[in-house]
């Protein structure tokens, strides 16, 4: 599911802070709700936890950027050529369950939250619009099983 560089980027972040929750396309693919290849990594951490940027900056290949979106802070960085979007959010957006991916123990975001984010970002890019359409088709196929 993940490329070698994506796995290294994810492991690097989790080694710095284990409270990080994995969401976005990784989450949707893990739950069987998305078929396309994973591009960037969408990670979430509760605002109440601190991040060790001194350690993190050792691994970042380009300058990281921060900006506020709604009630979250989005931190974009590149690790091993992989775009990583780390969102600092309120605790209610960290609903997750333990999961194993490529032998790595993680916290996987509730897929409902990942879908809600896709809907929100659909106004910013065609990729998200296509993902929502693909999700609709998957859900329609589920209803056809009844």
């Amino acid at each position: 599911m993940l490329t070698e560089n994506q796995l290294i980027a994810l492991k690097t972040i989790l080694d710095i802070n284990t409270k990080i929750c994995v969401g976005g396309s990784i989450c949707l693919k893990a739950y069987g709700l998305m078929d396309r290849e994973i591009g960037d990594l969408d990670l979430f951490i509760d605002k109440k936890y601190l991040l060790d940027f001194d350690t993190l900056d050792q691994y970042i290949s380009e300058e990281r950027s921060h900006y506020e979106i709604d009630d979250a802070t989005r931190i974009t960085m590149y690790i091993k050529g992989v775009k990583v979007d780390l969102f600092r959010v309120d605790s209610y957006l960290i609903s997750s369950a333990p999961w194993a991916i490529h032998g790595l123990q993680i916290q996987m975001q509730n897929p409902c939250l990942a879908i809600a984010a896709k809907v929100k970002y659909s106004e910013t890019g065609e990729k998200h619009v296509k993902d929502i359409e693909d999700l609709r088709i998957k859900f329609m196929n589920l209803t056809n099983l009844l």
Side-chain angles (χ1 to χ4, degrees):
M1 176 161 60
L2 294 177
T3 67
E4 184 176 337
N5 283 352
Q6 288 169 333
L7 189 58
I8 291 168
L10 181 57
K11 185 171 180 348
T12 298
I13 295 278
L14 292 173
D15 284 348
I16 293 168
N17 192 313
T18 59
K19 304 262 190 245
I20 289 174
C21 172
V22 177
S25 56
I26 295 174
C27 171
L28 295 175
K29 191 158 183 143
Y31 279 99
L33 298 173
M34 191 179 82
D35 297 323
R36 73 168 171 80
E37 292 300 313
I38 294 166
D40 57 357
L41 305 182
D42 294 318
L43 308 175
F44 299 83
I45 189 167
D46 193 313
K47 288 179 179 178
K48 69 182 173 191
Y49 297 118
L50 298 175
L51 291 169
D52 181 359
F53 284 110
D54 290 335
T55 301
L56 188 58
D57 283 344
Q58 297 174 52
Y59 302 100
I60 297 174
S61 57
E62 296 179 26
E63 187 173 331
R64 63 182 150 83
S65 62
H66 293 69
Y67 59 95
E68 301 297 318
I69 50 172
D70 298 325
D71 293 333
T73 300
R74 180 179 180 166
I75 304 161
T76 299
M77 63 195 98
Y78 289 83
I79 300 173
K80 295 291 281 184
V82 176
K83 181 181 177 196
V84 178
D85 287 320
L86 178 60
F87 297 86
R88 297 192 70 198
V89 297
D90 292 321
S91 58
Y92 74 91
L93 294 173
I94 307 293
S95 171
S96 64
W99 203 277
I101 184 170
H102 297 282
L104 186 64
Q105 295 299 313
I106 63 170
Q107 287 295 313
M108 188 72 76
Q109 185 182 41
N110 179 327
C112 295
L113 296 172
I115 292 169
K118 284 285 178 198
V119 170
K120 178 174 180 45
Y121 289 112
S122 66
E123 61 194 38
T124 66
E126 189 60 35
K127 171 181 81 168
H128 299 296
V129 172
K130 171 124 178 47
D131 287 346
I132 291 169
E133 177 60 16
D134 291 346
L135 284 164
R136 184 190 68 77
I137 291 167
K138 284 207 177 274
F139 288 130
M140 290 299 293
N141 289 336
L142 287 175
T143 60
N144 290 335
L145 297 176
L146 301 177

